[in-house]
Amino acid sequence: MAGPQQTPAARAVRLIFEYEGDSVRLVSQQPVDAVISGFDAHPEVRPGNFVETRDDKGQRLARVPARGAFRESAEVFPEDHSQPITRVDVEPRGAFTVLLPAPEEAVQVAVVRAAPVAPGARPAPGGATSPPPGATQDVDLATFRLER
């Protein structure tokens, strides 16, 4: 009688970042044996912040969302509980952690902001006259060497 089949753990890395505004610092990177599913599951790119592994040519190998990173507002709870909770703008500051696939060819990690393309932006190459609705443009906030 055979036991349950186990999926071999893939190479992955746990990354901890700190940020203030758009300034990002890599605090820690730790290799882990983990099965990561669902990364790059949606081919459409939505606005947001992401962390990705790249090869030595700068080509993306994997991308995961940086959930909770770069928050620009906070909830404020009133002392009088009959008053509503409000949201105020704050300077983005904090830390976040991601678990990211790190295949053998991965040599760097990048923190990327996928920002909506503004109306009236330069046309896309290939003869397009305007960006498609919901289009995003990637902006690298920081790039770091991956330790092996």
Side-chain angles (χ1 to χ4, degrees), residues 5 8 10 14 18-19 25 33 37 45-46 64 68 74 89-91 106 110 113 122 127 131 133 135 140-141 143 148:
Q5 187 174 4
R14 177 177 293 115
E18 290 182 343
Y19 63 93
R25 185 170 70 95
D33 290 330
S37 63
V45 177
R46 298 176 185 263
V64 297
D89 292 337
V90 296
E91 175 71 19
R113 175 165 295 143
R122 292 184 63 200
D140 284 7
L141 299 178
T143 304
R148 289 292 175 184

Side-chain angles (χ1 to χ4, degrees), residues 8-145:
R11 294 182 62 120
V13 62
R14 177 177 293 115
L15 303 167
I16 300 173
F17 297 93
E18 290 182 343
Y19 63 93
E20 188 167 341
D22 284 341
S23 178
V24 182
R25 185 170 70 95
L26 178 59
V27 177
S28 172
Q29 50 182 305
Q30 176 185 20
V32 293
D33 290 330
V35 175
I36 302 173
S37 63
F39 70 93
D40 286 342
H42 304 286
E44 75 276 1
V45 177
R46 298 176 185 263
N49 297 295
F50 300 89
V51 178
E52 56 188 40
T53 50
R54 295 178 178 171
D55 65 15
D56 60 351
K57 294 182 176 92
Q59 296 297 309
R60 180 174 69 204
L61 302 172
R63 176 183 266 195
V64 297
R67 290 181 174 84
F70 304 98
R71 294 193 184 259
E72 296 179 351
S73 66
E75 289 183 331
V76 177
F77 293 83
E79 288 190 33
D80 179 354
H81 299 293
S82 67
Q83 297 294 315
I85 297 170
T86 58
R87 185 162 285 280
V88 297
D89 292 337
V90 296
E91 175 71 19
R93 173 190 277 198
F96 63 96
T97 302
V98 296
L99 190 61
L100 181 65
E104 194 65 42
E105 60 273 20
V107 296
Q108 58 181 297
V109 295
V111 179
V112 178
R113 175 165 295 143
V117 175
R122 292 184 63 200
T129 57
S130 63
T136 61
Q137 177 179 1
D138 285 354
V139 177
D140 284 7
L141 299 178
T143 304
F144 306 95
R145 294 296 295 174

